[in-house]
Amino acid sequence: MQVEEVDEEEEGDEEMEEEFKKKPNPGNEPCFKVIVTNENGLQASNPNSIFLIDHAWTYRVEHARQQLLHVPGLLHRMTNLMGIDFHGEIPDEGSIEQVLREMWKYNQTYQLSQGTAEEKVPVWYIMDEFGSRIQHSDQPSFATAPLFYIPQQIAYTVLWPLRDLETGDEVTRDYAYGETDRLIRKCVLLPWVPTEVLDVNCFTPEPSDEHYQAILAENKEKLPIAINPPVYDKDKVFKVFTDIQQVLNNLTHPRFVFTDNEGKADILYNFSHFKDYRKLSEERPEVMLNQFPCENLLTVKDCLASISRRAGGPDGPRWLPRTFNLQTELPQFISYFQQRDRRGEDNHWICKPWNLARSLDTHITNSLNNIIRHRESSPKVVCKYIENPVLFHREDVGMVKFDIRYVVLLRSVKPLKLYIYDVFWLRFSNRAFSLDDLDDYEKHFTVMNYAPGVTLKQVHCEEFIPLFEKQYPEYPWTMVQANIFKAFAELFQVASAKPAPLGICDYPSSRAIYAVDLMLKWDTSRDGKRIMQPQILEVNFNPDCDRACKYHPTFFNDVFSTLFLDETDSCHVTCIV
């Protein structure tokens, strides 16, 4: 096989050709195709008709800019491969920006199935000049797949024919492999075949009941049978079985003792997700635990967006950034993006995996191609990036983004009983905010306690409130916090409004602690006033309570008293529902 440069006038895929003509300045970059040169052609059944393609560049998105800047020869090779003019020896910002924009037409992806959460973050790669010049066809002659060769710890792309080919036949592959729906294919191919989908209604109603049934089945969670709420002696000492070190180190309340015997425990306080509620409800209904069946409706980002629509209709409530599930709502998202683009509205978005924390594999962009391609790496939602956040003045840096974490205690679903821990936690960016340098982690993200060599700015909430009120004297914290609590109450009300698996299951022996992360953004109220609108970012299952225990030694005593004893008088909690 060999690569050939082709004239744009040559015959090709008609639909693609028609769309290509609509592009601004078609033909700016050279066009290539790969053809079969073997004089006997290639037979699909021949084991020698399987080929390996090298990868020119393998990287994670957050490292792309730095690698283009510092890896010798990389920028030069990528500009050549992508048909971008670059004549200098020293990397320049303009060329780097062009590569970062164009690379989404060349990127492929895989992820490792084992290792730490960091090691499982998707890897992106660009095939060598040969592989990158294999063109798209809806009726491809070849297929490709990444192959990770463990002895060499290196990945290749395997290329094999789907049918017998003759000399001169073109080597093509399907850029939307596996997509059979015509509209979805059109959307997935948009990076190469620009098109508008403005005729698609961008409303995203709540998914069907079957959608939630499928999630339950996929999670392998077995719902409990109906039980009577257990009744305990007034002075009972509860045996706690837990694998959470922070609980073992900090729970000192006299009404709780630890046991290593799970079978004799009164309370199961597990770090990992509990699955078989049916068996527990049948055999040991009196045993309490720190989880609710179907709580993933809160803690998994696509589900959080779905159930929140019960409060705000298809656009979602005001307290949640506009969110689309890229797996199921891609056409609606593209339509919404293109409509905003036409109206000249801000189009910065943040792509997040459904179920990862600590900002892993999370990317901010205003590139539609970038967002569409991220759909291939792992299930993701895309949320409107908050372009007008309420900022906090740091003496050493200037006006920075910050987010707030509240610990929420869910005592019961029916009746809904919800408490907030009285201390909240703050996280700050390390660089002054502006809507540029979107891959600058310390400007756009606030999670600094897991990043090596990065400054972690800590301000206690009691210190924060007077500083905040000094910066924003028209917005007393009690008023801001009342709106935050109102948003939390609404969220948990809609999350428990329907029976499981459409809502959090009403299991009388369940209790739970969650961390809700939020930001504040500038908005306009219905009567035209400028307001600080809470924006719920995510709800975390079994949050890291290290800072809580360090600065508030009675934290877990308060949590256990509230959840398992119904004693809140001497605890640092506030009931909001």
Side-chain angles (χ1 to χ4, degrees):
M1 288 177 278
Q2 72 178 38
V3 176
E4 274 192 355
E5 188 164 349
V6 295
D7 183 21
E8 293 240 343
E9 302 302 315
E10 284 189 28
E11 190 180 342
D13 184 310
E14 284 183 26
E15 188 175 339
M16 201 150 181
E17 206 171 279
E18 279 305 307
E19 291 293 345
F20 202 76
K21 285 175 187 168
K22 298 176 194 171
K23 284 174 68 175
N25 309 316
N28 273 359
E29 54 203 57
C31 255
F32 297 95
K33 71 176 180 180
V34 177
I35 59 164
V36 174
T37 54
N38 190 320
E39 60 185 21
N40 299 316
L42 289 173
Q43 285 70 49
S45 59
N46 185 342
N48 291 321
S49 296
I50 300 170
F51 306 92
L52 289 182
I53 300 172
D54 275 325
H55 295 170
W57 183 23
T58 301
Y59 64 96
R60 289 199 165 95
V61 174
E62 61 272 23
H63 304 143
R65 182 184 298 274
Q66 290 307 310
Q67 289 183 11
L68 288 166
L69 265 172
H70 300 300
V71 174
L74 177 63
L75 180 63
H76 196 266
R77 185 174 183 184
M78 286 301 115
T79 51
N80 274 345
L81 187 148
M82 296 176 192
I84 296 167
D85 284 338
F86 174 64
H87 305 294
E89 291 302 313
I90 299 167
D92 65 281
E93 277 302 320
S95 300
I96 288 171
E97 283 300 333
Q98 271 189 284
V99 169
L100 291 173
R101 191 165 56 248
E102 286 296 307
M103 69 186 188
W104 295 103
K105 294 178 185 173
Y106 297 88
N107 271 339
Q108 314 299 320
T109 186
Y110 63 83
Q111 64 187 123
L112 304 179
S113 59
Q114 295 176 321
T116 63
E118 284 81 1
E119 288 165 341
K120 289 182 188 173
V121 168
V123 172
W124 291 87
Y125 64 95
I126 291 176
M127 290 186 278
D128 66 13
E129 286 74 3
F130 171 84
S132 290
R133 283 162 181 167
I134 298 172
Q135 299 301 314
H136 165 75
S137 172
D138 289 334
Q139 287 82 41
S141 54
F142 279 74
T144 59
L147 168 74
F148 194 81
Y149 187 56
I150 291 172
Q152 290 183 350
Q153 290 288 293
I154 197 166
Y156 299 93
T157 290
V158 182
L159 174 75
W160 70 96
L162 298 172
R163 56 177 182 267
D164 293 348
L165 294 144
E166 296 177 6
T167 309
D169 284 352
E170 187 177 359
V171 176
T172 58
R173 63 185 186 88
D174 184 357
Y175 288 6
Y177 176 78
E179 296 290 358
T180 53
D181 181 278
R182 191 171 170 80
L183 176 59
I184 301 293
R185 281 186 67 82
K186 184 178 176 182
C187 292
V188 168
L189 289 170
L190 193 139
W192 304 276
V193 190
T195 186
E196 289 188 334
V197 292
L198 295 164
D199 54 332
V200 173
N201 190 331
C202 57
F203 271 22
T204 46
E206 188 185 353
S208 65
D209 294 0
E210 289 73 25
H211 175 80
Y212 296 108
Q213 296 281 1
I215 290 171
L216 180 72
E218 194 177 324
N219 285 343
K220 298 182 172 62
E221 203 170 86
K222 294 179 182 173
L223 295 178
I225 61 168
I227 64 166
N228 293 317
V231 178
Y232 306 97
D233 292 343
K234 212 169 172 52
D235 54 355
K236 178 178 172 63
V237 174
F238 293 90
K239 296 189 184 77
V240 179
F241 177 85
T242 185
D243 55 353
I244 300 176
Q245 202 59 45
Q246 288 168 351
V247 176
L248 291 166
N249 292 347
N250 294 283
L251 179 61
T252 58
H253 194 291
R255 296 265 315 266
F256 301 98
V257 294
F258 295 115
T259 177
D260 292 332
N261 188 336
E262 189 174 351
K264 291 190 175 174
D266 302 303
I267 297 171
L268 302 178
Y269 205 95
N270 295 335
F271 178 74
S272 51
H273 292 281
F274 193 83
K275 299 288 184 184
D276 198 349
Y277 291 94
R278 172 169 283 275
K279 185 179 178 187
L280 189 71
S281 64
E282 288 173 342
E283 297 177 4
R284 303 171 68 199
E286 75 288 348
V287 171
M288 294 183 282
L289 71 166
N290 68 324
Q291 299 172 37
F292 278 84
C294 300
E295 66 186 2
N296 58 293
L297 296 178
L298 282 171
T299 60
V300 179
K301 295 178 188 74
D302 63 307
C303 297
L304 173 65
S306 296
I307 61 164
S308 295
R309 290 169 192 165
R310 296 170 191 172
D315 288 341
R318 292 183 73 147
W319 40 258
L320 192 79
R322 184 74 161 97
T323 301
F324 294 85
N325 181 339
L326 284 179
Q327 307 312 113
T328 59
E329 297 166 347
L330 181 64
Q332 292 92 327
F333 165 67
I334 294 174
S335 175
Y336 190 74
F337 184 100
Q338 291 179 337
Q339 287 179 41
R340 289 183 68 89
D341 198 45
R342 272 197 168 185
R343 295 192 296 263
E345 294 172 355
D346 180 82
N347 242 341
H348 287 85
W349 294 80
I350 182 163
C351 280
K352 304 176 181 182
W354 284 357
N355 205 14
L356 275 180
R358 310 205 311 257
S359 305
L360 292 172
D361 194 24
T362 299
H363 309 282
I364 301 155
T365 182
N366 56 2
S367 159
L368 184 56
N369 289 354
N370 178 330
I371 297 167
I372 292 169
R373 296 302 310 282
H374 265 300
R375 180 178 182 269
E376 295 171 36
S377 61
S378 65
K380 285 189 172 65
V381 295
V382 60
C383 309
K384 182 67 192 69
Y385 187 57
I386 300 169
E387 77 271 18
N388 51 351
V390 174
L391 302 174
F392 181 81
H393 185 260
R394 275 179 61 172
E395 294 285 340
D396 52 337
V397 178
M399 299 299 280
V400 298
K401 279 178 67 169
F402 69 98
D403 70 11
I404 312 163
R405 168 167 286 195
Y406 281 90
V407 171
V408 176
L409 310 178
L410 182 58
R411 165 60 184 83
S412 63
V413 165
K414 284 202 173 14
L416 182 59
K417 201 177 272 190
L418 192 66
Y419 296 87
I420 305 281
Y421 193 70
D422 288 339
V423 176
F424 57 87
W425 286 268
L426 297 138
R427 299 181 297 195
F428 301 89
S429 296
N430 285 340
R431 297 199 180 108
F433 176 76
S434 55
L435 264 180
D436 52 16
D437 304 325
L438 301 178
D439 52 0
D440 184 342
Y441 185 90
E442 292 189 68
K443 176 185 281 196
H444 291 281
F445 291 88
T446 59
V447 182
M448 302 296 165
N449 41 330
Y450 300 100
V454 169
T455 307
L456 173 64
K457 169 77 170 172
Q458 300 210 49
V459 178
H460 193 276
C461 63
E462 288 179 2
E463 184 188 345
F464 168 81
I465 292 170
L467 290 171
F468 179 89
E469 292 184 329
K470 188 178 176 186
Q471 291 178 29
Y472 300 105
E474 293 173 33
Y475 299 89
W477 185 253
T478 50
M479 185 178 78
V480 174
Q481 187 166 258
N483 286 330
I484 292 171
F485 289 178
K486 189 177 172 217
F488 290 171
E490 269 189 37
L491 170 60
F492 279 84
Q493 280 158 353
V494 296
S496 57
K498 295 184 179 183
L502 283 60
I504 300 175
C505 182
D506 167 30
Y507 184 52
S509 290
S510 283
R511 317 280 191 272
I513 169 175
Y514 307 105
V516 185
D517 295 334
L518 69 116
M519 285 174 58
L520 299 169
K521 79 165 186 179
W522 292 110
D523 205 347
T524 307
S525 66
R526 289 181 178 89
D527 56 0
K529 288 183 184 163
R530 194 170 188 237
I531 57 168
M532 291 181 179
Q533 174 64 53
Q535 296 286 281
I536 293 175
L537 305 178
E538 62 184 26
V539 180
N540 296 278
F541 164 79
N542 253 342
D544 180 354
C545 296
D546 184 54
R547 280 207 285 175
C549 296
K550 187 175 177 182
Y551 297 106
H552 306 278
T554 64
F555 175 76
F556 272 115
N557 289 348
D558 292 347
V559 167
F560 273 68
S561 291
T562 302
L563 293 180
F564 301 109
L565 302 179
D566 288 322
E567 293 177 3
T568 59
D569 288 351
S570 58
C571 299
H572 302 92
V573 296
T574 300
C575 182
I576 65 165
V577 180

